[in-house]
Amino acid sequence: MLRTLALSLPALLFACAPEGTESSAGTMVFVAAEASDDARPYFHDFGRVSEGAVAHHTFKLVNPGPGAVRILKLVPSCGCTVPSLRAYRPDGTEVVGQPQGDEGPRIVVEAGDRLELTVRVDTKDVRQKNQDMLYTLRVSTDASENRYITLELRLHVAAPWSMNPPVGIQLGAIPIGGESKGTVDVVRAGSNLHTIGELIEVPEGVDASVERIHQSGIDVWRIEAGFRPPIERGSHATKLVLSTTDELGEPADDLSIPLAAVGVPDVQADPQRFAMRVTPGERSEPARRSETRVASLLPGHTFRVLEARLEGAHAEQLEVTFEPERADADGSAARWRVVLASAEPLPEGIHRGDVRVLLDDPQYPEIVIPYVLHARGGS
């Protein structure tokens, strides 16, 4: 038998009036049903869940009418939470919703319908384990009042190992022609007495090693890994797999370590474009300026800037200068400061172009840095 719980919190009340009529609070109300916690009907506590399990919970609501309410959008706080929607008509007919999509509502809940919103959490996709985590699911509707509701899910994924950092080896931006490595420390968690063995899966193009050390009487396995240069530009994501044994020395579940990086050019500008605002039709005193740094990400790599050319809208009214930071005896440096200046009057509008910086580096003979000038209204 369906147990209906009327909500007293205003944030949990939804109203929707038929098209062409004025709405009033309470005309259309969702009420929670079969809540696990009467005081917090939109909260569910999974408690401790073993790593590898799939946890799921169904939030049940009813629509007493008189009008329909459309569920427009579902926004989870974590990609590990996957929602699904089903509406049940009073005659028992089941309607399956679409949790994702570019057009239309996710589902329409007619008057008298019961809505079941199931949230599924695959613990293999949970990145932060061995700690309490709170995930949310934001539900957006077309109700005329209090259109949003936030479902909350508490979860503690109990894993036999703890990693520091918990997301594995995340190298971030690394030069495509240089070597970049990172480390992660792994220790036993809870009552686990297992032991980490050797690397049994190392992806092609990855260098990795594992070392067992002792810190304050605790066994720590330090895994170091990185992508072998040269690598392609863009995102790279893979994993390392290590063998483990239990307290009797028998094979246990393998341990996976995420490894990710983004390959970027060895020499690049930061910021990657010039941007400035000027007053249209007026000369700027002093000149408006925007600057960037052209730098090498490779240790020990230096170069010289030979020339900087302006190409694009009103280039003849702009000026670009450059200078090294801590130059060598031959004038080379690992970082160069490049400045774009605008003093002459510019017509109203948005003006775009490029600064072409020529280098003496055979692999990176030039760096092209876009510019955008906003000449609109006051400065």
Side-chain angles (χ1 to χ4, degrees):
M1 180 177 179
L2 185 65
R3 179 176 61 85
T4 302
L5 174 68
L7 304 179
S8 60
L9 297 178
L12 302 182
L13 298 178
F14 288 78
C16 177
E19 187 176 354
T21 66
E22 293 185 0
S23 63
S24 59
T27 301
M28 168 64 187
V29 181
F30 273 122
V31 290
E34 299 184 1
S36 58
D37 184 342
D38 288 357
R40 302 176 67 184
Y42 292 101
F43 169 82
H44 179 72
D45 188 352
F46 285 115
R48 293 175 65 88
V49 179
S50 298
E51 182 183 34
V54 177
H56 57 84
H57 176 72
T58 299
F59 293 91
K60 297 181 180 180
L61 306 102
V62 294
N63 174 13
V69 167
R70 298 184 304 166
I71 307 298
L72 303 176
K73 186 182 296 185
L74 302 174
V75 182
S77 63
C78 174
C80 60
T81 58
V82 180
S84 62
L85 291 163
R86 281 179 169 81
Y88 293 91
R89 308 295 190 220
D91 62 1
T93 303
E94 177 183 319
V95 179
V96 179
Q98 301 295 326
Q100 298 178 340
D102 297 328
E103 298 181 358
R106 305 283 73 81
I107 198 169
V108 177
V109 185
E110 302 287 352
D113 287 359
R114 183 175 85 252
L115 174 67
E116 294 192 357
L117 198 161
T118 300
V119 184
R120 177 180 178 273
V121 183
D122 191 337
T123 59
K124 295 193 299 296
D125 298 328
V126 174
R127 304 181 97 185
Q128 297 184 344
K129 300 179 174 65
N130 295 311
Q131 57 183 299
D132 288 344
M133 300 297 297
L134 183 68
Y135 300 107
T136 61
L137 178 65
R138 182 79 161 171
V139 183
S140 171
T141 80
D142 67 349
S144 60
E145 296 181 12
N146 302 316
R147 299 187 176 190
Y148 305 98
I149 186 171
T150 299
L151 306 178
E152 296 181 320
L153 300 154
R154 177 186 171 274
L155 178 67
H156 183 113
V157 178
W161 306 99
S162 288
M163 293 191 296
N164 183 27
V167 293
I169 303 175
Q170 305 290 318
L171 299 175
I174 62 174
I176 60 177
E179 185 177 34
S180 296
K181 290 187 175 182
T183 61
V184 61
D185 288 345
V186 182
V187 298
R188 298 183 179 99
S191 59
N192 173 34
L193 298 177
H194 294 190
T195 298
I196 295 177
E198 60 184 10
L199 286 158
I200 56 176
E201 275 188 37
V202 179
E204 185 177 355
V206 171
D207 292 326
S209 63
V210 57
E211 177 186 12
R212 183 177 181 178
I213 58 180
H214 296 276
Q215 292 182 345
S216 303
I218 298 175
D219 286 322
V220 178
W221 285 267
R222 179 160 296 164
I223 295 93
E224 181 181 57
F227 294 93
R228 189 181 311 122
I231 65 173
E232 295 184 358
R233 294 178 63 171
S235 299
H236 300 265
T238 185
K239 65 179 180 179
L240 311 169
V241 180
L242 297 97
S243 64
T244 72
T245 55
D246 62 20
E247 58 270 30
L248 300 178
E250 297 296 324
D253 293 338
D254 296 336
L255 171 64
S256 295
I257 306 292
L259 171 65
V262 178
V264 299
D266 301 335
V267 179
Q268 62 176 328
D270 185 21
Q272 296 184 350
R273 72 169 186 170
F274 297 102
M276 71 177 79
R277 182 179 294 275
V278 300
T279 302
E282 295 183 8
R283 180 178 176 81
S284 299
E285 291 291 351
R288 295 301 175 93
R289 298 155 61 89
S290 179
E291 64 180 65
T292 187
R293 298 292 193 279
V294 176
S296 172
L297 302 181
L298 299 175
H301 177 224
T302 60
F303 57 92
R304 286 185 298 161
V305 173
L306 305 177
E307 185 181 355
R309 299 174 182 171
L310 283 159
E311 303 173 351
H314 305 285
E316 69 282 356
Q317 296 170 266
L318 305 175
E319 180 183 17
V320 61
T321 58
F322 53 86
E323 61 180 0
E325 297 183 359
R326 295 192 290 273
D328 297 338
D330 65 352
S332 297
R335 290 168 56 91
W336 288 73
R337 179 170 175 260
V338 183
V339 179
L340 179 67
S342 171
E344 298 300 320
L346 296 174
E348 185 171 3
I350 299 178
H351 313 297
R352 304 178 187 274
D354 294 318
V355 176
R356 194 173 297 273
V357 182
L358 307 184
L359 314 180
D360 70 347
D361 188 293
Q363 187 174 0
Y364 294 92
E366 67 177 22
I367 301 293
V368 179
I369 310 171
Y371 69 77
V372 56
L373 309 175
H374 295 266
R376 286 187 171 177
S379 60

